[in-house]
Amino acid sequence: MKRFLFAPLFFLLLCGPFHSQAQMDIRIRISGIHCDSVQIQSFDWKNKSGTHLVQPYQSEVRLKSKSSPRPGMYWICADTNHVAALVVPNEKKQKIGADISNDTISFTNSPESASYLAYHRQKEKFAQKYQALDVEYQNAQNLPTFMIQSAID
């Protein structure tokens, strides 16, 4: 009878440390950016937002939580300036890293965040091309009509 009482107790003691591990672990390394504080804010797909971490600037910031992360965007902000975005695709256990410096941002265990960053950079390149074309178009408006036709051809 005593064996039956000790078996569940032994099982609980054995599995307890594994169950209490963090479900969400976000590690951010920042270098070359001067700020007073670092924030992690979230925005899930249901228009609910929240601030998860605000702390004085350190070169490495960690957000750990035992609860499952909500799927959505996690914005990394230096003071109030948006620096990078982490995409959390599901509620599974997440261990994500971000290395942020002046010109480069790299992600660990987050291909969705890397894809979002590549998309955003491509969108910026298209916006610059559009702006250059718009400036050229505005300058062409001041030309005489016969010169506009030759510029179009």
Side-chain angles (χ1 to χ4, degrees):
M1 181 72 176
K2 290 182 182 179
R3 279 190 299 181
F4 293 116
L5 291 176
F6 287 113
L9 182 62
F10 178 73
F11 181 73
L12 286 174
L13 290 175
L14 181 66
C15 294
F18 296 115
H19 180 69
S20 65
Q21 289 181 348
Q23 291 291 320
M24 177 172 60
D25 185 6
I26 298 176
R27 179 201 44 82
I28 303 164
R29 288 189 185 140
I30 302 172
S31 63
I33 296 175
H34 302 288
C35 61
D36 294 327
S37 66
V38 177
Q39 300 177 25
I40 298 178
Q41 300 174 347
S42 68
F43 179 79
D44 66 14
W45 310 130
K46 297 177 183 175
N47 296 329
K48 294 180 183 175
S49 60
T51 301
H52 296 280
L53 175 76
V54 178
Q55 73 179 47
Y57 172 78
Q58 295 175 351
S59 61
E60 185 168 319
V61 177
R62 248 195 150 110
L63 173 64
K64 284 186 174 185
S65 175
K66 291 183 181 180
S67 61
S68 297
R70 296 185 107 175
M73 301 289 289
Y74 286 76
W75 304 103
I76 301 167
C77 302
D79 292 333
T80 56
N81 300 320
H82 169 76
V83 177
L86 292 171
V87 178
V88 176
N90 53 40
E91 293 183 359
K92 293 180 182 176
K93 184 176 179 178
Q94 301 287 331
K95 188 171 185 176
I96 300 173
D99 294 317
I100 302 168
S101 67
N102 283 340
D103 298 333
T104 60
I105 300 173
S106 61
F107 298 101
T108 309
N109 296 330
S110 184
E112 298 85 4
S113 298
S115 296
Y116 178 77
L117 180 63
Y119 160 76
H120 206 290
R121 286 184 175 160
Q122 187 64 42
K123 192 172 91 170
E124 287 177 357
K125 287 180 184 177
F126 285 140
Q128 290 172 352
K129 288 180 182 180
Y130 172 77
Q131 188 176 16
L133 286 172
D134 189 46
V135 167
E136 190 175 325
Y137 174 76
Q138 294 300 327
N139 290 339
Q141 293 298 316
N142 298 331
L143 295 175
T145 308
F146 71 92
M147 292 181 81
I148 293 177
Q149 187 60 41
S150 64
I152 292 173
D153 295 335

